[in-house]
Every structure is written in C-alpha cells, then in structure tokens.
Amino acid sequence: MPSDGSRLGAGTLRVSSFGGAERVALFSGPRGSRRGAPRVGTLGALVGAGTLLLLLALATKMGGDGSRQAIDGAGQSSRAIHTHLVEHRQESMAKVDSDYEQSNSTDAAIYDSESFNSADEEKDKVLDADAYDVTAAELADEVKALVVAWRKGGGSAPDAPWPGGKIEELRRACRDAVKSRYGDLLDAQERLLIEMELEFPPSMRAEGHGSETAKLWIRSAPLSWLPHGIWIFLHNAVDAREGFFHRRAKHVLQAFLRPEKRGLSFQEYDSRFPHEANTLGFAGRPGGPAFYISIKNNTRDHGPGSQGSATEADGIFGKLVESGARGATTAATVERMKEQPGGSPDLGFVKESENWIRIKSTRVVYSDGH
C-alpha cells in the first residue's frame, strides 16, 4: 500500500525508492494483488558486468602471472558482485512481500468494513424504530388515560375535555414509528402491503377443501389517514406469538392475537375509509388488538354513532386486496374461512379451539402496485 493510504487498482504502476535506486512494480487484478515480483537491481547487474569485462581486459594486456592475478581478482570481484546482487534481490523481495501483505491486510480491513456497513445500518434502523415505538407507546398510555376520563365525564365534564391536541401528537408519533420501520415499503399513497399466512385446522382439510395453508393480502389505509390504527395492528400482529380466527359471524370474521401488547388509545376513524365489505377494523370499545374482516358493508353498524356511542366508531386500518392475482387468492381464502365449523348460532364464536384458523405469520412486504 502507498504510504498515503491510497489503494492500488488494476494496472497501476507504483514507483518507490529502494537502496538509492528506483524500482517499478505493475499491480493487476483485485486491489493489492500483484503479477510476479518487480524486476530490481538491473543497474547493479550492469555495473557488475562492466567491472568484470574491465578486469578481464586488463588481464589480457598484462599477460603471464599478471594475467592469472588479474583473472583471480576478476573472479573474486565477480563472486563479490554476485553475492551483493543476491543479497540485494533478497532484501528487495522481502520489501515487496511486506508491501504486498500490508496491502492485502489493509484491503481486507476495508472489505470487512464495507460488508458490515449494511448490517450496521440495519441495526441502527431497528434501534431508531424501537425508539420511535417507545415514544408512541408512552403517548398512547397518556392519551388512553385522558380518553377514559373524558368518557367517565360523559363527554362534557370541564375537568376532562376531549384531548384533541394530545391525540394529534400521538398520531404524529405513530406515523413516525411506522415510517421509521417500514418507510421504504410505503407506496406512493403511503400504504403498506401486508401478507398474512393462515393454517387451516384438520377439520377444514378434508378432501375438496384445498391445501393446509392459504394467504390473505391486506393493504393498509394511507398512513396519514389512520396512523394510530396502522401502528397498533402492526405493533401487535407482526411479532405475535400466536393468533387465531375464532369467530365466523354473518357480518365479520374475527381474530385475536397473543400477547396483547396494547389496543387503541382512542377510536381512530376517517370518513374517507368507512367500514365497507373487505375492510379490517378493531373489535371492542376501546378497540384492539383483536380485529375483524367485514364480510358485508358494516358502515352503519360499526361507523360513527354505533355500538352504543353517540359519536365514536370502530377503529379501522386496512382493506383486503381485491384485484389481480393477490385479490383472487384473498377472495378464495375468505370463502374458505366462511366454512369454518363450530360457530355459535347467535354471535358466531367458535368454542372448540381445534376448529380455529391459525395465523402463521404477518409481515409487511414490498408493494409492486398490484
């Protein structure tokens, strides 16, 4: 490696000083590799040959004993020059090998650094996302307490007003948390594509019922519309230890997740994303993390002013993909889910766990626009 730390590329000529003379080496291939050893000591070889010829000429001129003495002297000088050249070459090669090893060592360190860059960046990304999650969780707890106080006061208690400002702060925090973890997977409309893999119970694997597993494809609402609901769903579903669809009612297919990290702090709803067929909302008031798929239009029964509330609606966060190959796959899966056995005649809850449909995994994937 050059003393300034720069790296040598293929075809680089390197010139450096050794023993008061210049030597040149041609480097090729990967950084720090070499093609043979540099040819060194050429000047010394020429000087040695010239000296030998001069001594031989003197010997010829002198003749007799003088010739023998001159020849003997020439031989001694030649052997001395040869010894010097060998030592010179050995020292030169040792220096080249030292440079070569240093070059490889330095480049290996550079390669190691480059290979770890992506891992370090991913680790930093996770740490940043975790920090955003912590902020969102703290605000969620604060908002939930304020909303509970507002409900207890009947919505009109002067000491428990609607915490609109704090809710907007929570919504911003949830949006930041989702973007920090999944920002590179958001589409142009700030939506996420979610793949949910299901495993059907043995009671639904009889001949003619299809394979053991199937998929649901879900597209979230635009993040700016429903950031709290999207964050709550992903926060619970992606790393869930277990989850099951355990209700087959006439209007919804409902599931639960374990562990229940947290539910909605308030009933987040947007009129631009109503409870139409194939949407996904949160069960309960306050809702979540249990969720359901609407298999009919539930705008009236789950929208604003429903479920005993004068103003609130069920929380909502996404909708099943309805078009393309993913839409066809999802529609077929839903039709099969409607055949789940064991549902009670009134509310549709499936009592026997052996008939539950297991959620094997939930993950956010790259959206290609379909």
Side-chain angles (χ1 to χ4, degrees):
M1 293 291 287
S3 59
D4 61 358
S6 59
R7 290 177 286 177
L8 296 176
T12 300
L13 283 173
R14 183 166 109 178
V15 182
S16 60
S17 175
F18 181 86
E22 296 292 315
R23 63 186 175 92
V24 179
L26 175 64
F27 284 76
S28 63
R31 291 172 298 184
S33 65
R34 64 179 180 178
R35 180 185 296 166
R39 301 184 181 277
V40 298
T42 304
L43 182 61
L46 291 174
V47 172
T51 302
L52 180 60
L53 289 173
L54 179 61
L55 290 172
L56 288 173
L58 289 172
T60 302
K61 184 176 180 180
M62 292 172 62
D65 293 337
S67 294
R68 173 61 59 187
Q69 293 173 357
I71 291 172
D72 290 343
Q76 292 173 1
S77 296
S78 177
R79 286 191 293 274
I81 291 170
H82 175 73
T83 301
H84 172 73
L85 287 175
V86 169
E87 293 175 350
H88 184 76
R89 179 174 177 79
Q90 289 174 342
E91 291 176 2
S92 175
M93 288 303 300
K95 182 67 169 62
V96 170
D97 288 340
S98 175
D99 284 353
Y100 177 66
E101 292 173 2
Q102 181 182 357
S103 173
N104 280 346
S105 175
T106 304
D107 281 348
I110 291 169
Y111 292 146
D112 287 344
S113 175
E114 290 171 351
S115 67
F116 281 114
N117 277 345
S118 59
D120 289 342
E121 289 172 2
E122 186 63 26
K123 182 179 179 180
D124 290 342
K125 179 181 176 182
V126 171
L127 291 174
D128 288 344
D130 289 344
Y132 278 111
D133 279 341
V134 169
T135 299
E138 291 173 350
L139 282 168
D141 290 339
E142 187 176 351
V143 168
K144 184 174 183 178
L146 293 172
V147 171
V148 167
W150 173 80
R151 287 201 183 101
K152 286 182 178 179
S156 59
D159 58 341
W162 177 249
K166 188 60 70 173
I167 284 175
E168 286 306 310
E169 188 178 348
L170 170 61
R171 281 165 52 84
R172 286 193 298 271
C174 290
R175 185 169 182 264
D176 290 342
V178 172
K179 289 189 74 172
S180 68
R181 196 176 297 277
Y182 305 110
D184 53 344
L185 299 176
L186 287 166
D187 67 12
Q189 297 174 262
E190 277 200 320
R191 302 175 304 176
L192 293 170
L193 181 63
I194 302 163
E195 177 196 76
M196 181 176 287
E197 186 174 8
L198 307 181
E199 181 180 25
F200 291 101
S203 59
M204 297 182 68
R205 296 182 210 163
E207 185 178 355
H209 277 276
S211 63
E212 175 182 336
T213 62
K215 289 182 179 180
L216 293 172
W217 291 96
I218 304 163
R219 200 175 297 279
S220 76
L223 184 58
S224 59
W225 293 6
L226 297 163
H228 183 51
I230 294 169
W231 178 71
I232 287 292
F233 175 72
L234 296 175
H235 193 59
N236 285 278
V238 170
D239 296 323
R241 184 179 69 250
E242 62 179 8
F244 294 92
F245 279 90
H246 68 126
R247 185 185 183 191
R248 178 185 58 80
K250 294 179 180 180
H251 65 304
V252 296
L253 302 172
Q254 186 171 320
F256 69 85
L257 300 167
R258 297 286 187 275
E260 293 186 341
K261 293 182 179 179
R262 63 180 60 251
L264 292 172
S265 297
F266 69 102
Q267 298 300 111
E268 186 178 48
Y269 179 81
D270 192 299
S271 60
R272 294 169 292 183
F273 208 86
H275 287 276
E276 297 174 343
N278 290 332
T279 55
L280 287 88
F282 292 105
R285 300 284 179 91
F291 66 95
Y292 58 80
I293 300 170
S294 287
I295 55 177
K296 62 182 286 291
N297 191 322
N298 287 315
T299 302
R300 185 182 65 180
D301 294 334
H302 293 182
S306 63
Q307 307 288 317
S309 171
T311 59
E312 292 180 296
D314 276 3
I316 187 170
F317 61 88
K319 189 173 186 178
L320 298 178
V321 174
E322 297 176 321
S323 60
R326 293 189 181 110
T329 297
T330 298
T333 301
V334 170
E335 289 305 310
R336 189 174 173 191
M337 293 171 71
K338 292 178 181 178
E339 300 176 7
Q340 184 179 19
S344 62
D346 49 354
L347 297 177
F349 285 100
V350 178
K351 183 177 180 180
E352 298 81 11
S353 60
E354 59 265 26
N355 290 325
W356 292 351
I357 301 171
R358 177 175 170 243
I359 301 174
K360 288 188 67 177
S361 65
T362 303
R363 64 192 188 105
V364 180
V365 298
Y366 171 74
S367 175
D368 56 8
H370 299 288

